[in-house]
Amino acid sequence: MSMNILVIESSPHKKGSSNLLAEYFIEGAEEAGHQVTVFDAAHASLHPCLGCDACGMSGPCCQKDDMAGLQEQILQADMLVFVTPLYYFGMSTQLKTVIDRFYSFNGALTGKRVKTALIVAAWDSKEWTMKDIQSHYETLCRYLDFQDQGQILGTGCGTVSMTRATEFPKRAYELGKSLQEM
């Protein structure tokens, strides 16, 4: 039985480095027999969490935007893949907006024990470049009981041509290809 994988891309650059790494991951996952859907958070109508608590952490959210459809996709998925360019050593605002909106279905999401992965593209190649985003992701996994399946922390991936010249496209493909069924 194959997995239903939801890839949440968040780069304003549709043809940028993080989405390129996601393409390689998707290719591997589909070759392994998994069904993959992509949600483009950067080009969706999504608003920040208001902190109003109208949802009571069990929904629905009072805001009327694309998050309602995304929430349904998330709750149907066996695996979530978070894809982002590195912005000031953290995730893009677009991805952070999605994650903040998990608040309205926090309990349902935690109860799923969903598999996850993180794909990041950064210009810098310093050894500390990915420390903070990796820590944030691992904390989310702990808090939401996500089951981390792997992380592609693509340093030296400032442009598409730079990214293609690294080992990260191959590593993203191999991560997708290596995924085991639920």
Side-chain angles (χ1 to χ4, degrees):
M1 183 175 175
S2 68
M3 281 195 293
N4 177 14
I5 300 172
L6 177 60
V7 174
I8 303 173
E9 296 179 343
S10 65
S11 176
H13 305 281
K14 288 186 181 205
K15 298 291 184 186
S17 293
S18 63
N19 288 354
L20 175 68
L21 294 176
E23 287 175 25
Y24 279 93
F25 170 87
I26 291 166
E27 181 182 348
E30 288 179 338
E31 284 182 18
H34 302 295
Q35 179 183 334
V36 180
T37 304
V38 176
F39 181 85
D40 183 354
H43 298 94
S45 174
L46 296 170
H47 307 293
C49 178
L50 299 173
C52 65
D53 205 31
C55 65
M57 292 183 80
S58 60
C61 179
C62 65
Q63 299 190 75
K64 305 301 178 214
D65 61 10
D66 292 340
M67 192 64 197
L70 177 57
Q71 176 181 335
E72 188 175 311
Q73 288 181 289
I74 288 169
L75 292 175
Q76 292 174 359
D78 301 309
M79 181 172 184
L80 304 175
V81 181
F82 302 109
V83 180
T84 183
L86 188 73
Y87 283 0
Y88 290 93
F89 309 99
M91 64 186 70
S92 69
T93 296
Q94 294 82 352
L95 182 57
K96 182 69 166 80
T97 298
V98 168
I99 291 171
D100 286 350
R101 295 284 297 279
F102 287 175
Y103 184 82
S104 69
F105 60 108
N106 201 74
L109 186 56
T110 301
K112 279 185 59 73
R113 296 182 48 87
V114 69
K115 292 182 179 186
T116 60
L118 176 66
I119 298 175
V120 185
W123 189 284
D124 287 336
S125 293
K126 297 174 183 81
E127 59 79 24
W128 51 265
T129 298
M130 296 291 191
K131 179 178 73 77
D132 293 321
I133 193 167
Q134 185 176 27
S135 177
H136 187 179
Y137 168 73
E138 290 171 356
T139 299
L140 285 171
C141 288
R142 248 186 324 271
Y143 174 67
L144 293 168
D145 208 11
F146 289 163
Q147 309 303 303
D148 177 39
Q149 302 301 297
Q151 301 170 33
I152 304 299
L153 304 174
T155 53
C157 294
T159 65
V160 169
S161 60
M162 288 170 67
T163 304
R164 287 189 196 282
T166 69
E167 76 274 9
F168 296 109
K170 181 178 186 231
R171 289 175 54 189
Y173 169 82
E174 289 171 351
L175 175 60
K177 185 83 172 168
S178 72
L179 294 173
Q180 302 299 311
E181 297 174 0
M182 291 295 291

